[in-house]
């Protein structure tokens, strides 16, 4: 699937859940941003230009990628390794979600990534709800132990 086809599918799915796609566009092709309370939700759709060892098995059939990312918290100064280890364990229990750490921005995120054709089977509203639920629950369980600071919409780039 090419990126234009994927973007059209994303916008149709957004409209189906009551989001005006044109209002959610960030100005960059294949990027949208939604807000849930003060939590930013980033949606991206693109076509990979080259295969990596991590996606080689799908790349030949479908180089398009769809991703939802919800920033969870900033990486703590103290006990960062312990938090990341805890989140790797938590990942084993999550459905359609994973915790990841972006060291460049020092942000821990929750995300769901599928091939473009995988978007057809994905319930967008349920996936967004799941990511936001995991983010909220994990924050309340871990905030005191790791002194977490949330990423809110005013921090969004």
């Amino acid at each position: 699937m090419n990126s234009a086809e994927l973007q059209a599918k994303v916008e149709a799915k957004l409209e189906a859940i009551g989001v005006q796609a044109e209002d959610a566009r960030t100005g960059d092709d294949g990027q949208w941003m939604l807000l849930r309370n003060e939590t930013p939700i980033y949606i991206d759709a693109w076509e990979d230009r080259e295969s990596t060892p991590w996606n080689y098995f799908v790349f030949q059939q479908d180089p398009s990628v769809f991703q939802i990312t919800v920033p969870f918290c900033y990486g703590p100064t103290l006990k960062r390794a312990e938090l990341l280890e805890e989140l790797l364990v938590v990942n084993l229990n999550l459905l359609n979600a994973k915790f990841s750490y972006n060291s460049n921005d020092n942000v821990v995120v929750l995300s769901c990534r599928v091939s473009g054709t995988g978007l057809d089977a994905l319930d967008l509203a349920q996936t967004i709800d799941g990511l936001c639920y995991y983010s909220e629950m994990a924050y309340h369980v871990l905030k005191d132990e790791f002194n977490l600071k949330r990423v809110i919409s005013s921090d969004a780039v």
Side-chain angles (χ1 to χ4, degrees):
M1 172 180 323
N2 68 40
S3 56
E5 293 170 321
L6 179 56
Q7 289 173 26
K9 281 187 174 195
V10 170
E11 295 210 337
K13 285 217 174 229
L14 287 170
E15 297 281 341
I17 64 169
V19 173
Q20 294 296 318
E22 64 190 39
D23 295 339
R25 289 184 200 129
T26 65
D28 294 323
D29 261 1
Q31 295 183 340
W32 302 263
M33 187 179 101
L34 314 175
L35 288 174
R36 168 140 330 149
N37 299 321
E38 291 203 31
T39 302
I41 301 163
Y42 299 99
I43 298 176
D44 300 288
W46 72 94
E47 192 174 344
D48 267 348
R49 297 292 178 217
E50 59 184 71
S51 178
T52 72
W54 302 111
N55 68 10
Y56 79 94
F57 61 96
V58 210
F59 188 76
Q60 295 303 318
Q61 295 91 8
D62 182 12
S64 62
V65 180
F66 172 79
Q67 177 175 277
I68 304 171
T69 305
V70 174
F72 168 60
C73 70
Y74 292 99
T77 304
L78 303 173
K79 297 172 56 171
R80 180 178 301 148
E82 291 89 342
L83 171 65
L84 298 178
E85 183 177 336
E86 177 71 20
L87 295 177
L88 284 174
V89 173
V90 171
N91 273 347
L92 292 171
N93 297 295
L94 304 183
L95 298 173
N96 297 320
K98 64 183 175 189
F99 281 101
S100 302
Y101 177 63
N102 178 328
S103 59
N104 291 336
D105 297 326
N106 190 36
V107 174
V108 178
V109 302
L110 273 152
S111 64
C112 174
R113 180 185 283 197
V114 296
S115 68
T117 54
L119 176 59
D120 292 334
L122 192 69
D123 182 323
L124 189 59
Q126 183 178 3
T127 302
I128 290 170
D129 287 347
L131 291 169
C132 290
Y133 169 80
Y134 290 141
S135 177
E136 192 69 25
M137 183 182 69
Y139 178 75
H140 288 291
V141 169
L142 302 172
K143 69 180 177 181
D144 294 331
E145 180 179 355
F146 296 102
N147 195 27
L148 300 181
K149 181 179 182 246
R150 295 195 88 147
V151 177
I152 57 173
S153 61
S154 60
D155 299 337
V157 185

